[in-house]
Amino acid sequence: MEDMEERTRRIVATAVELAEEGGFEAVRMRDVASHAGVALGTFYKRFRSKEDLLIAALELEAERLGKRMEGKPPQGATRLERVTGFFSAATKGMTKKPNLAKAVIRAVSSGDPELAQKVANFHHGITQLIAAALRGEAVIEEGGEVSELEKTVSYLLQNMWFAALVGWSSGLHTRKAVVDQMRVAAELLLRGMAEVEREQ
């Protein structure tokens, strides 16, 4: 008998397909359940809303990004080169399916307090990847500590990245512009990070 995890993966994969075909509005729970071949009741056991489902799709992309970074970490002799490389790869991954990306950005912006922990989990995963890029490592080993300074820099970079992606989703600028903005943001923040480290 098919387990719940497999059905969940199929539901998320179906939502990804529908979102990429028609954007946020195309992800209707009844349609997702029907296309995924699961009962609507089964759907609601796992996802309480469209936003919940789309954030699951975001978590899946973060998982894929983590595996890509582990296999091929950002290259560069400096923190700036590696962090810029990370955001270049992350932006490419997020925007290669533009309608899906726009739907996910809208879901994350919903302000639903019940989804806050899932969004926080996504940010935690990205923080680990940025910290690894800062250190020039493939990954932060499980149980490894990320310093408060690394967390702060990662948090601020993620906020800027999200704002840049919102601009991209609105058609204000290109994917390349998102990466260019992140390079400038990283350069300024990393300069400040180096000064704090010298003072410690």
Side-chain angles (χ1 to χ4, degrees):
M1 186 176 175
E2 185 182 44
D3 62 16
M4 189 64 177
E5 186 178 344
E6 178 54 38
R7 277 178 286 183
T8 297
R9 280 197 293 267
R10 199 163 74 244
I11 290 168
V12 173
T14 300
V16 166
E17 290 174 13
L18 291 175
E20 184 50 27
E21 285 174 13
F24 185 84
E25 301 302 337
V27 185
R28 300 178 189 88
M29 289 174 278
R30 188 175 297 278
D31 291 346
V32 173
S34 175
H35 282 74
V38 301
L40 198 56
T42 300
F43 177 97
Y44 279 112
K45 283 179 184 175
R46 178 61 184 84
F47 302 104
R48 55 175 293 277
S49 67
K50 178 192 303 195
E51 288 80 7
D52 189 10
L53 178 55
L54 286 166
I55 288 173
L58 177 65
E59 291 172 333
L60 181 63
E61 176 54 37
E63 187 180 311
R64 288 173 177 159
L65 177 63
K67 287 177 180 174
R68 287 200 300 273
M69 292 297 104
E70 188 173 351
K72 190 178 178 183
Q75 300 299 303
T78 66
R79 283 173 168 171
L80 178 59
E81 289 172 349
R82 294 190 299 271
V83 169
T84 301
F86 167 77
F87 279 107
S88 178
T91 302
K92 182 179 180 180
M94 274 289 289
T95 60
K96 68 183 176 184
K97 294 182 176 176
N99 288 333
L100 171 64
K102 292 170 186 177
V104 165
I105 290 166
R106 185 167 166 183
V108 172
S109 307
S110 68
D112 185 340
E114 293 190 30
L115 298 177
Q117 188 55 54
K118 290 187 176 183
V119 175
N121 291 342
F122 169 76
H123 283 299
H124 173 73
I126 298 297
T127 293
Q128 297 288 108
L129 295 175
I130 295 172
L134 287 169
R135 298 177 186 184
E137 299 174 1
V139 292
I140 301 295
E141 295 299 328
E142 192 170 338
E145 286 295 317
V146 176
S147 73
E148 287 304 312
L149 183 56
E150 287 172 330
K151 285 179 185 176
T152 299
V153 169
S154 298
Y155 177 75
L156 292 172
L157 285 171
Q158 287 181 71
N159 283 349
M160 293 175 189
W161 186 47
F162 181 71
L165 286 172
V166 169
W168 165 83
S169 73
S170 301
L172 293 177
H173 42 248
T174 63
R175 180 168 73 188
K176 180 181 180 300
V178 172
V179 177
D180 290 343
Q181 288 172 27
M182 292 313 301
R183 178 189 294 276
V184 173
E187 184 174 10
L188 294 172
L189 278 170
L190 293 177
R191 204 177 292 167
M193 184 180 188
E195 288 181 14
V196 171
E197 288 172 332
R198 282 195 294 270
E199 292 170 2
Q200 287 179 343

